């Protein structure tokens, strides 16, 4: 908690949760934001009617801002070919999507992503996906894409330029805010992580060097959207692997983003590449992934490596709270809590601890009406069971959904 944060009673904290607030000039009607959850509702890379309805229902349910999950900044920044990438060919559809969500009462953020060296995109234009260092590309095995190449200095400049262009485009189609993905093992996280970044040039080694590209990206996005447009950044406070980003370093990473002018930091954790369960907690997703995997090679890889990658982390509410509080103490920018916030008690605790916003993933998948319901009922608790079966639906033809309700 920042030193000047007043002690709030439960009622005052809940009042704060359901009262308006401003994020770099953007009026938000309450403190609840839909977390980016890749929807898989953009077949062949085009936003579908289902995507519009998915976010429209969230808007109807009272969320202050919804986030379009994983908007790749370039064609090769996609993990697979059914992801959106930001280019002028989508102008009309994306403008309509954003306008529809606005009509239904919610603001819209776009999560800017680049997969780096972690891809199974069959439409990849480069010979291989590219990350900070040459490595195995675990995701690409099924498609014969076994390796990722190390980016050259020119590749790095190109990536910065791609973020800039994507940000100009996204602002022009009506997004109210942008969220740069610095976490979860994707491209920028691969640079921040000492585990995946083994470069010997000025982009590798010390934290200053590993943050050079992420900070260049933040500066490029800021330059693209101007000083009065909200930019959030989602970080992994830990990768949950030896030699990776850890909680102490995350405090310093947050300070660097804060000093560089980010408006809000989303304090997540884990990586899709090495340790996803620390991000979710609860029921392990490995059995679902094994059951749905059609490719024999990938099935074998999952069988061999699955146990060490998909470790068990029991679920409890607010599982990132203690570590996120350390970041609250270290930075001046606004802070977004994420991870197991499911009840009015949780919302009150988070507001009292000095967080500005709360991002919700699975609980909003299980019930898009959650914000309206919790505003009416101070005893509200989400029905989400953290079974994590929704994570397994990420490749389903109809897109993600809650399998239980
Ligand atoms: C189906 C699904 C898809 C997800 N896709 C993304 C994504 O595209 N980008 C991202 O940053 N996080 C993604 N996440 C992680 C969530 O944003 C969030 O960090 C996580 O679910 C923990 O929050 P929760 O306890 O409120 O669900 C996804 C989560 C789920 C359940």
């Amino acid at each position: 908690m920042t030193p000047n944060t007043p002690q709030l009673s439960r009622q005052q904290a809940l009042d704060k949760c359901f009262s308006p607030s401003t994020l770099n000039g953007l009026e938000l009607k309450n403190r609840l934001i839909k977390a980016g959850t890749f929807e898989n509702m953009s077949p062949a890379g085009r936003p579908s009617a289902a995507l519009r309805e998915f976010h429209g229902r969230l808007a109807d349910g009272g969320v202050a801002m919804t986030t379009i999950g994983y908007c790749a900044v370039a064609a090769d920044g996609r993990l697979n070919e059914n992801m959106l990438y930001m280019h002028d060919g989508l102008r009309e559809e994306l403008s309509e999507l954003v306008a529809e969500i606005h009509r239904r009462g919610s603001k819209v953020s776009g999560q800017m992503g680049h997969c780096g060296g972690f891809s199974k995109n069959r439409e990849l234009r480069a010979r291989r996906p590219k990350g900070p260092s040459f490595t195995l590309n675990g995701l690409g095995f099924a498609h014969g894409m076994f390796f990722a190449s190390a980016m050259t200095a020119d590749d790095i400049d190109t990536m910065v330029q791609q973020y800039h262009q994507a940000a100009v485009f996204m602002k022009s189609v009506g997004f109210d805010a942008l969220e740069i993905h610095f976490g979860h093992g994707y491209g920028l996280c691969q640079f921040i992580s000492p585990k995946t970044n083994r470069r010997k040039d000025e982009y590798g080694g010390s934290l200053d060097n590993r943050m050079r590209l992420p900070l260049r990206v933040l500066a490029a996005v800021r330059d693209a959207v101007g000083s009065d447009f909200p930019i959030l950044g989602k970080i992994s406070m830990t990768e949950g692997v030896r030699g990776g980003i850890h909680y102490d370093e995350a405090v310093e990473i947050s300070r660097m983003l804060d000093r560089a002018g980010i408006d809000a930091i989303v304090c997540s954790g884990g990586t899709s590449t090495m340790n996803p369960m620390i991000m979710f907690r609860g029921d392990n997703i490995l059995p679902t992934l094994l059951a749905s995997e059609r490719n024999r090679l990938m099935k074998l890889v999952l069988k061999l490596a699955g146990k060490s990658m998909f470790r068990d982390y029991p679920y409890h509410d607010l599982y990132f709270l203690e570590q996120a509080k350390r970041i609250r103490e270290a930075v001046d920018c606004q802070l977004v809590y994420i991870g197991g916030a499911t009840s009015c008690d949780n919302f009150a605790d988070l507001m009292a601890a000095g967080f500005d916003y709360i991002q919700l993933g699975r609980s909003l998948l299980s019930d898009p009406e959650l914000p309206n319901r919790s505003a009416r009922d101070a005893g509200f608790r989400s029905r989400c069971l953290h079974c994590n079966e929704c994570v397994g639906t990420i490749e389903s033809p109809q897109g993600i959904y809650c399998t239980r309700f």
Side-chain angles (χ1 to χ4, degrees), residues 35-38 69-70 111 181 184 234 268 279-280 319 338-341 359-362 365 390-391 394 400:
T37 55
F38 170 59
Y70 209 93
Q111 185 177 61
H181 210 326
H184 293 184
K234 187 168 184 176
S268 186
M279 179 190 320
F280 299 113
Y319 47 83
I338 189 166
Q359 281 199 357
L360 306 169
R362 290 163 293 178
L365 291 181
C390 55
V391 184
I394 217 157
I400 55 166

